[in-house]
Amino acid sequence: GENVGLHLPTLSVQEGDNSIINCAYSNSASDYFIWYKQESGKGPQFIIDIRSNMDKRQGQRVTVLLNKTVKHLSLQIAATQPGDSAVYFCAENIWGSSASKIIFGSGTRLSIRP
Amino acid sequence: GAVVSQHPSRVICKSGTSVKIECRSLDFQATTMFWYRQFPKQSLMLMATSNEGSKATYEQGVEKDKFLINHASLTLSTLTVTSAHPEDSSFYICSARFGGSGELFFGEGSRLTVL
């Protein structure tokens, strides 16, 4: 079946540094990708998304890069803050016969060193 | 942004009983709702896709007779875990969107503990 996976399960970053979280996806037909942040005991929170016709999209302190050639997605967080500590998931939109569904990757835990 | 509400946020039940979890879209009409399950330190696994007025589409390996999903209106979907067992203990999360694609809005999750 479809699978969206991550290279690193945990990432420790010095406060103030930039964080880069990577994700590999397997479905070349996916047309939409999303990054979510999940804090303990809560539902996923939308961070940023990107459609397959784009290579890069920037938000506030976050940038998503999409490389369709190697089916790779990354999330860059600038000037990482303690509040960025969470688990980050990439997800992809996969189309079925008449509708689409969002499938999640395995997640990366981001921890911030003071 | 859009708000999706889940209730209850926590529930404890005895083995063999059934538990119902509600998912409501508060400020938009959710033509499609999704139910996910998340075990500790794992990712969200899609259980089923629910379209208003039609039967839910279950993912492979998810028992439709055990996890009953009803999407009776454009603002409400329910997940009923029937004859719950300890292995059903998990974090259940719903999400909703308007239309066939686009951004999902997630609820805060419901933690089920089966004793």
Side-chain angles (χ1 to χ4, degrees):
Chain A
E2 298 86 3
N3 181 55
V4 179
L6 290 171
H7 297 165
L8 297 173
T10 59
L11 178 65
S12 179
V13 175
Q14 188 77 33
E15 182 178 350
D17 287 353
N18 297 335
S19 301
I20 300 176
I21 301 172
N22 296 302
C23 175
Y25 64 94
S26 58
N27 192 321
S28 57
S30 297
D31 62 349
Y32 175 59
F33 303 87
I34 316 101
W35 279 101
Y36 291 97
K37 173 185 180 183
Q38 187 181 30
E39 298 176 329
S40 181
K42 296 185 178 181
Q45 175 186 355
F46 173 90
I47 301 173
I48 192 168
D49 59 1
I50 188 169
R51 297 209 173 268
S52 59
N53 60 354
M54 301 173 67
D55 298 322
K56 179 179 179 179
R57 189 160 187 234
Q58 289 184 293
Q60 186 177 9
R61 281 204 307 122
V62 294
T63 300
V64 55
L65 299 177
L66 175 63
N67 186 329
K68 295 181 289 295
T69 302
V70 295
K71 290 186 283 188
H72 184 267
L73 195 67
S74 70
L75 175 69
Q76 300 177 3
I77 304 174
T80 310
Q81 303 169 358
D84 295 328
S85 293
V87 178
Y88 290 81
F89 294 98
C90 67
E92 62 179 329
N93 186 61
I94 297 174
W95 279 92
S97 58
S98 60
S100 66
K101 55 189 180 183
I102 302 291
I103 301 299
F104 279 72
S106 56
T108 294
R109 179 173 296 281
L110 178 64
S111 64
I112 312 302
R113 302 191 303 272
Chain B
V3 178
V4 174
S5 173
Q6 272 185 251
H7 178 80
S9 58
R10 292 179 179 271
V11 57
I12 300 173
C13 70
K14 294 182 178 179
S15 183
T17 60
S18 295
V19 174
K20 180 184 286 187
I21 301 170
E22 292 186 347
C23 178
R24 294 181 184 274
S25 58
L26 300 184
D27 53 0
F28 70 103
Q29 293 185 327
T31 53
T32 306
M33 287 186 171
F34 301 88
W35 286 94
Y36 293 83
R37 178 169 56 181
Q38 185 178 32
F39 293 109
K41 298 183 180 180
Q42 294 188 23
S43 185
L44 283 73
M45 298 300 297
L46 181 64
M47 299 175 67
T49 302
S50 167
N51 292 297
E52 185 267 336
S54 61
K55 291 183 179 181
T57 302
Y58 290 81
E59 294 297 300
Q60 189 174 6
V62 179
E63 300 175 58
K64 62 180 181 180
D65 293 330
K66 180 169 183 62
F67 300 100
L68 302 179
I69 293 172
N70 183 287
H71 192 163
S73 76
L74 286 171
T75 59
L76 174 65
S77 177
T78 60
L79 167 67
T80 301
V81 182
T82 63
S83 187
H85 291 284
E87 57 264 32
D88 298 325
S89 298
S90 188
F91 195 47
Y92 291 88
I93 306 170
C94 75
S95 64
R97 71 179 174 200
F98 176 77
S101 64
E103 185 177 351
L104 283 186
F105 301 95
F106 283 84
E108 286 299 317
S110 300
R111 185 163 301 282
L112 170 64
T113 302
V114 184
L115 302 177

